[in-house]
Amino acid sequence: MTSSDEEKLSLKEKISIIKEKLTSRNGIITSSVTFGFLLLTLLVMKACEPAKGTILYGICGAFLEQQLEYPETIQHNYVEQYSSAIRVYYSHTDGFGQYLTEYIECSFEQDPKKGLQLKSVIFNTIKLITKKEPIKNKGRLYEVEQKYIDKFNESNSINVILSTEPDLTLPRNDPFFL
């Protein structure tokens, strides 16, 4: 016998010893406990991750940032996600130093030629880009003029947002944010 044959036998012997240990009662219990612990660790790690929104949240947030005078003061408080729309409740500081809580609702459509497009945007307060009359039978909601939505869609902003990986972390769901 050569040294390589001895190594092969010892390798076969090692494999058979490991196989015997794994198939024994103690081996099965140890393997099961180890697997369970790893699975539990994975579940806890996933549960601790912050919730992520859809890309619609990122696009609506980008549109909002372009419309406010001081976008660095925006703080997203709560987000409601629907199939083709999203509503973002936010707080910001205006030019007079007032801390305001408002919301924006963006709805989207899938155009066969252009892809994802912003369909309509509604604010609950009057902005420079909104129509000055409230939407009929909707209370105090103001629709953004279509020319501003078209300008946003044509600016290629949506494709840029889709090509990058924006932070889509949702705000903590705190019912007492108002």
Side-chain angles (χ1 to χ4, degrees):
M1 277 191 163
T2 63
S3 63
S4 64
D5 291 337
E6 290 175 5
E7 288 177 15
K8 288 181 183 177
L9 288 179
S10 64
L11 182 61
K12 287 181 182 179
E13 289 174 357
K14 289 178 184 178
I15 290 174
S16 66
I17 291 171
I18 292 172
K19 190 175 184 181
E20 286 176 22
K21 285 185 179 181
L22 288 177
T23 56
S24 69
R25 180 183 166 132
N26 286 341
I28 292 173
I29 291 172
T30 303
S31 301
S32 300
V33 168
T34 303
F35 179 74
F37 179 72
L38 291 174
L39 183 65
L40 181 66
T41 303
L42 180 67
L43 290 173
V44 168
M45 287 174 52
K46 281 294 187 187
C48 291
E49 285 181 2
K52 298 281 186 183
T54 63
I55 196 66
L56 303 181
Y57 171 58
I59 295 169
C60 192
F63 184 82
L64 173 64
E65 286 179 8
Q66 293 177 4
Q67 306 314 317
L68 294 181
E69 192 173 346
Y70 300 104
E72 64 275 0
T73 65
I74 297 173
Q75 179 182 4
H76 295 201
N77 299 323
Y78 187 74
V79 177
E80 294 175 356
Q81 299 184 87
Y82 307 104
S83 61
S84 64
I86 192 152
R87 183 179 289 174
V88 180
Y89 295 87
Y90 64 95
S91 301
H92 70 101
T93 305
D94 69 359
F96 296 104
Q98 290 183 317
Y99 185 75
L100 304 170
T101 301
E102 302 171 349
Y103 76 83
I104 181 174
E105 184 174 315
C106 303
S107 59
F108 297 87
E109 65 183 354
Q110 188 69 32
D111 187 88
K113 295 178 183 175
K114 298 178 184 177
L116 186 64
Q117 297 287 300
L118 194 59
K119 182 179 176 183
S120 67
V121 179
I122 297 172
F123 283 95
N124 67 333
T125 58
I126 297 176
K127 304 284 182 205
L128 293 174
I129 62 169
T130 59
K131 298 175 183 173
K132 305 311 174 207
E133 302 86 30
I135 301 172
K136 193 171 189 170
N137 299 327
K138 294 286 185 177
R140 294 182 52 184
L141 299 177
Y142 302 92
E143 190 172 19
V144 172
E145 294 180 30
Q146 191 61 41
K147 66 181 180 180
Y148 296 108
I149 294 172
D150 293 339
K151 196 180 284 188
F152 181 79
N153 286 334
E154 293 167 5
S155 71
N156 203 27
S157 296
I158 294 176
N159 292 330
V160 170
I161 293 168
L162 289 172
S163 67
T164 62
E165 293 184 19
D167 181 20
L168 300 175
T169 303
L170 294 173
R172 204 177 101 235
N173 289 339
D174 189 359
F176 304 106
F177 69 88
L178 295 175

